[in-house]
């Protein structure tokens, strides 16, 4: 088996030969290209039969060579563009002047081809080329079987190769774009205004999380990458923008898992004069809009489950679910602490509400497979949330769960500035290690008057995971955070193990 080094040496020889032939191996502008999928659709429309090896229909294609075979004076190659694959036929008879260039083609090269639509004798739709344009010479050989990589991390480290090698991976990210656009269109149709709020914040808030810290040299101050846009979006409600949303990045200096990436995409939306019931309707609405934009299928696979997204979704109270699955009422703190110890949780340094939530996470969440809104959380867990009027120990908050995974968070928002200030101070008292400080300006904003409102955050990455049947968040983020490779481990060392001998025309 040849190594990547030897293959790259061979390719550099071909690169030099192209230049000797007067061919620019890195091409230039190439216009009037037709997508491969359009050409294939046209072939079906024409009903091209095996006896019609050539037609009068001419097209120009451009893409990457992903399969290359030579049969004497005839080359068959599969060209892949953003829409799919199509076969190209190149013969010495029809490309006599360019035949030396044709013989220098390799897997991974990017080329342009002009020619006539037709078929092969076996009825394979084929563009028979009569003009070849070199657009990019690939110096590094692509893997022959990307799915067979021994190091799965390489797929994420080299997403660019993953994308052109695996069409199904590209489809996931096309679906991601479709989902986000569907959300935007749905919210705009409901009168919501898309806005942008700061990612660099002098004070961070809106969630309990550890931030990333950076330094602004000109002002000589530390700044934080935002953990949430919430407090800025609420300022906009104060300012008279009654319906606002943002789809953008949040950053949390925490661990990495199949459900967590330190940089992730959130949609947050706030609606003046609404409450958390309106936010439930919004969640159902954005999922429905995304599904309709994808394929209209409300029953969808996710791992071992089939999820039914048909609204309305189940509503269940936190307390009822806790009693059902933990086996004790959450109001019996002694029993809850005993349950925590039985689950291997050390509750000695935890507040009662935190112990309750730890037990909830261990006993309830993985049981919530079908879409479920979990309503009415213990109030101490929710410093930004309005309390129930008849039970101040309960906050008007819900989280939607699907396949055992929390995909969002929503409140009937707290707009009393005095209660809000007291709650924030109480929250900060237990978070000295996060270096959080009081956002006095947010309290000042509330003192000017924020209308009653509902607020919602939905994790876009997790939503895409669910709707595309990908069980790792790294499969729906183009460039997820990776551990650095050891300095001794070069890219070519990894290639030696993971790249197979290419098929070519040696």
């Amino acid at each position: 088996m040849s190594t990547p080094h030897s293959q790259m040496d061979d390719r550099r020889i071909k690169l030099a030969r192209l230049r000797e032939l007067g061919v620019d191996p890195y091409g230039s502008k190439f216009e009037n290209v037709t997508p491969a999928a359009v050409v294939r659709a046209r072939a079906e429309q024409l009903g091209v039969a095996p006896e019609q090896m050539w037609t009068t229909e001419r097209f120009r294609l451009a893409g990457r060579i992903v399969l290359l075979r030579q049969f004497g004076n005839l080359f068959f190659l599969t060209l892949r563009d953003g829409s799919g694959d199509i076969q190209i036929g190149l013969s010495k008879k029809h490309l006599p002047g360019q035949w030396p260039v044709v013989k220098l083609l390799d897997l991974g090269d990017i080329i342009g081809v002009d020619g006539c639509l037709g078929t092969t004798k076996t009825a394979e739709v084929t563009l028979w080329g009569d003009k070849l344009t070199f657009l990019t010479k690939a110096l590094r050989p692509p893997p022959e079987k990307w799915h067979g990589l021994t190091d799965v991390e390489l797929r994420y480290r080299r997403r660019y190769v993953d994308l052109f090698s695996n069409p199904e991976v590209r489809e996931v990210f096309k679906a991601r774009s479709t989902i986000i656009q569907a959300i935007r269109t749905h919210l705009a149709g409901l009168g919501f205004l898309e806005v942008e709020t700061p990612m660099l914040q002098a004070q961070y808030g809106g969630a309990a999380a550890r931030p990333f810290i950076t330094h602004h040299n000109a002002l000589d101050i530390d700044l934080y990458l935002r953990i949430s846009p919430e407090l800025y979006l609420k300022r906009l409600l104060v300012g008279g923008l009654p319906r606002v949303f943002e789809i953008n990045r949040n950053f949390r200096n925490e661990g990495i898992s199949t459900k967590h990436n330190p940089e992730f995409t959130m949609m947050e939306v706030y609606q003046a004069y609404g409450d958390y019931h309106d936010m439930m309707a919004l969640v159902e609405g954005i999922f429905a809009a995304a599904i309709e934009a994808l394929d209209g299928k409300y029953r969808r696979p996710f791992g071992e489950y089939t999820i039914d997204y048909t609204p309305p979704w189940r509503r269940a109270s936190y307390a009822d679910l806790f009693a059902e699955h933990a086996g004790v009422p959450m109001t019996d703190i002694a029993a809850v602490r005993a349950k925590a110890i039985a689950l291997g949780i050390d509750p000695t340094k935890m507040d009662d509400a935190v112990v309750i939530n730890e037990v909830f996470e261990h006993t309830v969440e993985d049981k919530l497979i079908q879409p479920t809104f979990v309503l009415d959380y213990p109030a101490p867990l929710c410093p930004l949330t309005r309390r129930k009027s008849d039970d101040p120990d309960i906050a008007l908050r819900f989280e939607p769960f699907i396949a055992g995974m929390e995909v969002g968070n929503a409140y009937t928002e707290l707009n009393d500035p005095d209660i809000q200030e007291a709650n924030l101070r109480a929250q900060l008292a237990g978070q000295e290690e996060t270096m959080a400080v009081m956002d006095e300006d947010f309290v000042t904003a509330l003192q000017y008057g924020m209308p009653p409102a509902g607020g919602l955050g939905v994790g876009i990455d997790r939503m895409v995971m669910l709707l595309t049947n990908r069980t790792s968040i790294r499969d729906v983020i183009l460039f997820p955070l990776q551990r650095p490779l050891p300095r001794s481990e070069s890219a070519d060392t990894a290639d030696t193990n993971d790249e197979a001998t290419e098929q070519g025309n040696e």
Side-chain angles (χ1 to χ4, degrees):
M1 178 182 292
S2 59
T3 67
H5 283 298
S6 64
Q7 291 183 44
M8 289 183 68
D9 290 342
D10 290 341
R11 285 166 178 255
R12 287 192 177 278
I13 291 171
K14 292 178 181 179
L15 179 74
R17 178 60 180 150
L18 285 169
R19 288 181 167 137
E20 290 172 3
L21 293 171
V23 175
D24 181 355
Y26 294 104
S28 60
K29 187 174 182 178
F30 195 69
E31 296 183 295
N32 303 316
V33 173
T34 303
V38 173
V39 178
R40 295 188 67 88
R42 179 58 178 159
E44 293 180 10
Q45 184 182 33
L46 291 172
V48 180
E51 60 270 16
Q52 295 175 284
M53 293 186 65
W54 293 71
T55 72
T56 58
E57 298 266 341
R58 290 191 61 80
F59 294 95
R60 166 174 276 196
L61 294 170
R64 188 183 296 273
I65 301 172
V66 295
L67 182 64
L68 182 63
R69 296 165 294 161
Q70 182 179 6
F71 302 95
N73 290 328
L74 181 63
F75 276 76
F76 284 110
L77 55 95
T78 299
L79 203 67
R80 178 170 294 166
D81 66 13
S83 71
D85 296 356
I86 192 167
Q87 181 165 276
I88 305 294
L90 303 175
S91 69
K92 186 175 183 180
K93 177 181 177 181
H94 295 98
L95 287 162
Q98 290 190 288
W99 197 243
V101 176
V102 174
K103 294 177 69 176
L104 297 173
L105 292 173
D106 283 308
L107 286 177
D109 289 350
I110 300 173
I111 62 170
V113 179
D114 293 86
C116 291
L117 181 62
T119 66
T120 61
K121 292 179 180 179
T122 58
E124 175 67 27
V125 172
T126 302
L127 189 82
W128 294 98
D130 52 35
K131 182 181 179 182
L132 172 68
T133 304
F134 230 101
L135 298 176
T136 302
K137 182 65 181 174
L139 295 181
R140 187 177 293 274
E144 181 182 347
K145 293 182 179 178
W146 189 252
H147 287 296
L149 288 176
T150 57
D151 180 6
V152 69
E153 298 297 313
L154 197 57
R155 288 186 55 231
Y156 305 122
R157 293 187 191 280
R158 298 192 184 167
R159 181 68 85 187
Y160 42 88
V161 180
D162 192 25
L163 286 166
F164 75 66
S165 298
N166 292 325
E168 67 273 18
V169 173
R170 289 186 311 187
E171 291 307 309
V172 168
F173 290 101
K174 288 181 182 179
R176 181 187 175 106
S177 180
T178 297
I179 290 166
I180 293 172
Q181 185 57 51
I183 294 171
R184 285 193 162 104
T185 300
H186 180 72
L187 291 175
L190 294 173
F192 286 87
L193 179 69
E194 184 169 10
V195 298
E196 294 175 302
T197 60
M199 290 192 182
L200 282 176
Q201 300 180 351
Q203 296 169 332
Y204 65 93
R210 184 178 295 276
F212 288 95
I213 306 172
T214 187
H215 188 78
H216 189 281
N217 292 331
L219 296 179
D220 192 25
I221 59 171
D222 284 340
L223 294 171
Y224 305 92
L225 290 177
R226 74 173 183 201
I227 60 174
S228 169
E230 178 172 349
L231 302 188
Y232 282 94
L233 290 170
K234 288 181 178 178
R235 285 171 168 92
L236 299 182
L237 296 184
V238 173
L241 299 179
R243 294 189 176 203
V244 294
F245 78 97
E246 181 171 11
I247 299 175
N248 225 320
R249 293 288 200 276
N250 288 350
F251 306 85
R252 298 183 184 178
N253 197 350
E254 298 168 351
I256 299 172
S257 73
T258 57
K259 297 179 182 178
H260 298 89
N261 193 68
E263 176 184 2
F264 60 98
T265 302
M266 283 286 292
M267 180 215 72
E268 290 214 17
V269 56
Y270 291 84
Q271 177 179 333
Y273 316 115
D275 64 10
Y276 75 157
H277 294 287
D278 297 294
M279 299 301 103
M280 289 180 227
L282 272 182
V283 174
E284 292 171 339
I286 64 170
F287 268 85
I291 288 168
E292 291 294 339
L294 290 172
D295 55 20
K297 297 177 181 177
Y298 283 80
R299 289 177 58 83
R300 310 180 74 85
F302 182 72
E304 62 185 294
Y305 307 116
T306 297
I307 308 297
D308 188 350
Y309 294 93
T310 306
W313 295 359
R314 177 193 182 198
R315 274 82 165 155
S317 77
Y318 187 104
D320 289 346
L321 289 168
F322 190 98
E324 176 185 353
H325 296 290
V328 296
M330 73 178 195
T331 53
D332 186 342
I333 298 303
V336 172
R337 287 185 172 273
K339 181 68 176 182
I341 293 170
L343 292 169
I345 301 166
D346 182 3
T348 53
K349 296 183 180 180
M350 296 180 184
D351 293 336
D352 290 344
V354 176
V355 178
I356 290 169
N357 203 52
E358 285 285 328
V359 173
F360 184 91
E361 290 178 354
H362 279 74
T363 61
V364 180
E365 291 187 357
D366 62 357
K367 311 296 192 307
L368 303 175
I369 305 304
Q370 296 304 319
T372 301
F373 293 117
V374 178
L375 314 177
D376 301 341
Y377 276 62
L381 298 173
C382 318
L384 299 169
T385 312
R386 183 187 291 268
R387 275 47 171 165
K388 265 192 165 184
S389 57
D390 58 349
D391 187 352
D393 291 332
I394 298 299
L396 297 174
R397 169 188 177 184
F398 76 78
E399 290 187 355
F401 281 84
I402 304 172
M405 182 166 57
E406 177 249 318
V407 296
N409 193 14
Y411 312 145
T412 295
E413 299 295 342
L414 177 60
N415 62 341
D416 182 321
D418 294 334
I419 296 176
Q420 182 64 90
E421 181 175 11
N423 288 352
L424 289 176
R425 292 196 184 283
Q427 181 189 40
L428 292 174
Q431 294 186 14
E432 292 85 354
E433 74 281 1
T434 68
M435 298 169 289
V437 296
M438 183 73 170
D439 190 339
E440 302 283 358
D441 182 71
F442 175 62
V443 175
T444 298
L446 293 186
Q447 289 170 346
Y448 280 98
M450 186 184 89
L456 166 69
V458 171
I460 296 297
D461 305 309
R462 292 186 180 184
M463 184 176 177
V464 176
M465 286 172 61
L466 288 161
L467 296 182
T468 61
N469 192 18
R470 293 298 185 272
T471 55
S472 172
I473 197 170
R474 294 193 294 177
D475 287 334
V476 301
I477 295 175
L478 279 168
F479 300 102
L481 185 66
Q482 299 286 106
R483 293 182 184 276
L485 286 171
R487 295 195 175 201
S488 59
E489 185 178 345
S490 69
D492 289 331
T493 301
D495 286 344
T496 302
N497 295 324
D498 293 314
E499 291 180 349
T501 304
E502 63 175 323
Q503 297 177 354
N505 59 325
E506 281 79 6

